[in-house]
Amino acid sequence: PTVSDRWRPAAHFTARRSWLNDPNGLLHHDGVYHLFFQTNPDGSTWGDISWGHATSTDLLTWTEHDIAIPRTADELVFSGSAVADVHNTAGLAAPGQTALVAIYTAVRPARADRPGSQAQALAYSVDGGRSWERYAGNPVLDIGSEEFRDPKVFWYGGPDGHWVMVVAEAVDRRVAVYTSPNLIEWTFESRFGPAHAVGGVWECPDLFPLTVRGTDRTRWVLVVSLNPGGIAGGTGTQYFVGDFDGRTFTPERLSLSQDPRDLDWLDHGRDYYAAVSFNDAPDGRRLTIGWASNWDYAAHTPTGPWRSAMSLARELDLVRAVDGRHRVAQRPVLPDDPRVTVVDLTVASGAGERTEVVLSTGEPGGSELVLTVDGDARTLTCDRTRSGDVGFHPAFASVETAPLPPGDATTTDLRIVVDACVVEIYVDGGQVTLTALVFPDAPLVAVRVLPSRAR
Ligand code: FRU
């Protein structure tokens, strides 16, 4: 591989030659998955932030397009979502056309003579997403705040339904809900939070229904990213399960415990942030993509000119666990690509059992990622301290710990996906996941399983 492609994943999306953070505007329309993303068009670190654009028909092979929404002299283009306005509620399409509408946070940086602001704005495309125009009446939702961002908009209800926006009041650790008939006029409905993990600002909310596996019941899931204060340190993504009536989200369980391990996390690694779901995915599927990095060290990872990857797309549902709690289960959309290693294993995890799974280069003394399933502690740990280049930032070399799903199972299923610098681990059908970046001295293609008794 060339220097610039060293560690570049095959099936995890990366920008050709620039910085990338949050997935934006995830939308399926006319057989095409659209992935927009926060990018610095000309840089390998955060800046000049704009919406990049890529498309795919299988969620694994992506084609990158021109910048969809570029920053302007006095507007940065922060995270948001996209919808297909099939009923032309906003009136942006000519008869017979459908406008795709992006709802993003327009950021006006602070200057000596005026404060900054974050407000919600629209851009639209009437050619299926090829070219984008800013809406002339922007912004469409401005509450005079400097910390109001990341609108996720979706359609609620049938033909008589309405648009819903969930949006972060970041420093207040709240998610606000607004509704609109037309994407242009927005009415405040309710707020949720602060709740559960509040050790950082709240960002990138999402709200969607999921079926409880094996039933015909539906619950709503509110996803909230926070930075810092994540379960593994730095950025992390928590979720709440509850109900939503089109205007208000009501959680079914609020933990009284301050212990982050008692809360619900979409991922237990350090490298899964800003996860949001596709609008209009086929067959009612709920598919998400997250950003596989951590604000603690994202600017320092040793790649270039591209920097950062997305996670694999994950399909979500809910399971009711033995403790009565609903938990999100996630299954990856799996690549069938020789450059990606997928390992499925069942390891003993009863009392007194302990198993190490070592992913390595196969060379003596080479880089290693060590996973340990501990049946007594009922944990999975992921140790990347000897995984290759770990010295580029003091926070990177780390050991993460995830709980095994509740219950008294004496075995644990692991699905491990290794794609250059991104490793995703799915435990017991994805009831627990852990995403970790690695920069090994050669690809991690060998697997060793070392059963051992607990000490
Ligand atoms: C989350 C975030 C968002 C913001 C974007 C800016 O990673 O901080 O809140 O819109 O990144 O790039």
Side-chain angles (χ1 to χ4, degrees), residues 21-22 38 46 49 78-79 149-150 203-204 273-274 291 295:
N21 59 289
D22 313 355
Q38 292 280 282
W46 192 92
I49 210 80
F78 271 27
S79 287
R149 60 180 175 272
D150 309 337
E203 301 183 318
C204 300
Y273 195 59
W291 174 45
W295 280 118

Side-chain angles (χ1 to χ4, degrees), residues 252-269:
E252 66 180 18
R253 176 188 88 97
L254 281 183
S255 174
L256 300 175
S257 160
Q258 297 297 309
D259 186 337
R261 289 169 301 183
D262 293 330
L263 311 180
D264 290 313
W265 300 92
L266 267 193
D267 196 278
H268 286 79

Side-chain angles (χ1 to χ4, degrees), residues 179-195:
T179 58
S180 172
N182 56 13
L183 298 169
I184 291 166
E185 295 147 291
W186 291 95
T187 305
F188 173 79
E189 298 286 354
S190 63
R191 278 195 183 92
F192 175 75

